[in-house]
Amino acid sequence: MRFLIIILCSLSLTACVSQDQMDVKMSKGCAAGVNTLLDERGNDKKIKEIKTTNYSNEQAEGGLHRRVTFEAIEEDGWLELDKTYSCLFMQEWGIFKSSHKALLVQVKIDDQLYGKKDGTILGGFEDFLKLTRAVDDAMAQ
């Protein structure tokens, strides 16, 4: 009985991960993914500054996912434009929200989708792998 009480107490002391903390983490991953895709286009575009970020839940690909949308200033060395980007993540939570893993599903840039849609990978598999690696590295996963 004491062993059970000790386990329950120790579980209550472990840091619970909040959705707000994970939203910040996914924002960093999304920005890294967008920059990777902008870089692949070969036009020296990159995100200069993120002005606003919004988070929402979205039913997609057979479950509830998290959409990260941000308004940013995109620059190419000469021109600065206001742009909107978004990423869709599938989330996995550990027991008692003790851990979290976000898996990139898709990125949207200029009405162009990269990643998975309706169970199919848009573009090439290797490109999607490169994109997910950049996102995972930025989120330290």
Side-chain angles (χ1 to χ4, degrees):
M1 184 66 168
R2 285 184 184 173
F3 185 68
L4 181 61
I5 292 172
I6 291 171
I7 288 176
L8 289 175
C9 287
S10 65
L11 284 175
S12 68
L13 294 176
T14 59
C16 290
V17 182
S18 73
Q19 183 67 61
D20 291 340
Q21 291 170 313
M22 294 306 97
D23 285 343
V24 170
K25 177 177 144 180
M26 288 185 290
S27 294
K28 290 177 185 175
C30 186
V34 168
N35 276 325
T36 297
L37 290 169
L38 291 175
D39 187 48
E40 284 181 3
R41 291 180 173 183
N43 51 15
D44 294 329
K45 290 183 180 182
K46 65 179 179 181
I47 297 172
K48 178 182 178 182
E49 174 188 345
I50 296 175
K51 299 190 308 186
T52 62
T53 308
N54 295 305
Y55 309 97
S56 60
N57 291 323
E58 186 174 309
Q59 236 5 69
E61 306 267 335
L64 190 63
H65 289 60
R66 192 75 166 164
R67 169 94 44 200
V68 177
T69 305
F70 59 88
E71 308 262 335
I73 298 174
E74 178 185 278
E75 72 172 355
D76 66 359
W78 299 96
L79 190 60
E80 293 182 355
L81 298 171
D82 288 334
K83 295 282 190 149
T84 301
Y85 308 100
S86 74
C87 298
L88 186 65
F89 290 92
M90 181 176 78
Q91 299 183 93
E92 294 178 1
W93 293 92
I95 190 166
F96 302 117
K97 287 195 169 186
S98 60
S99 65
H100 177 269
K101 177 131 175 107
L103 304 168
L104 180 71
V105 175
Q106 63 181 222
V107 178
K108 185 175 181 183
I109 300 175
D110 297 329
D111 297 325
Q112 178 76 31
L113 283 178
Y114 302 88
K116 293 188 336 186
K117 181 178 182 195
D118 300 325
T120 320
I121 294 177
L122 305 173
F125 180 72
E126 290 298 321
D127 293 334
F128 184 64
L129 239 99
K130 183 178 178 182
L131 175 61
T132 55
R133 280 189 200 119
V135 170
D136 286 348
D137 287 348
M139 294 190 303
Q141 294 193 121

